[in-house]
Amino acid sequence: QVQLVESGGGLVQPGGSLRLSCAASGSIFSINTMGWYRQAPGKQRELVATITSGRRTNYADSVKGRFTISRDNTKNTMYLQMNSLKPEDTALYYCNAHLQYYPGRPSDYWGQGTQVTVSS
């Protein structure tokens, strides 16, 4: 079992920056890939960025060059540094952890989300 808690969301002006954090607890060393997803009102949840245990990263085209995903296993924490924020980045951001396969155990875990609002 893995528990995830997001923090760092808030209200920021266009062009500003925010850093999101996701604290993980439980079966920490069973985690393979972690990622950030977001969902805006009336839209589908979409992938923002992922990072593997080997620290390979992947980004959505809409955030590439502006966002940076990282993880610190000594602190059991994942981060999303968001720069040059745009109004279209406004969404509820969710932390995700994908565990190594094990029979009878869920593979995906989610946090409760943290709100990011980009507005003047």
Side-chain angles (χ1 to χ4, degrees):
Q1 297 291 321
V2 172
Q3 296 79 46
L4 305 171
V5 179
E6 303 97 333
S7 62
L11 175 64
V12 65
Q13 295 183 352
S17 299
L18 282 175
R19 190 190 194 194
L20 305 184
S21 298
C22 174
S25 61
S27 302
I28 303 302
F29 296 103
S30 295
I31 298 175
N32 184 6
T33 302
M34 298 188 71
W36 290 96
Y37 294 73
R38 67 187 182 186
Q39 186 169 23
K43 296 184 178 181
Q44 297 290 320
R45 182 176 298 186
E46 64 176 355
L47 183 148
V48 177
T50 59
I51 183 167
T52 69
S53 58
R55 303 194 186 280
R56 296 170 62 182
T57 59
N58 181 58
Y59 297 91
D61 288 340
S62 60
V63 306
K64 196 170 299 181
R66 299 188 297 121
F67 291 10
T68 302
I69 189 172
S70 62
R71 63 193 294 180
D72 185 345
N73 291 337
T74 64
K75 297 181 179 180
N76 301 322
T77 303
M78 178 180 65
Y79 305 95
L80 183 68
Q81 179 66 47
M82 304 184 293
N83 299 325
S84 302
L85 284 162
K86 305 174 181 179
E88 50 263 45
D89 294 319
T90 296
L92 189 63
Y93 284 70
Y94 294 93
C95 175
N96 167 264
H98 186 76
L99 275 60
Q100 296 175 354
Y101 176 77
Y102 189 87
R105 182 183 67 187
S107 295
D108 283 287
Y109 294 86
W110 297 87
Q112 294 299 309
T114 184
Q115 179 67 40
V116 172
T117 302
V118 184
S119 176
S120 299

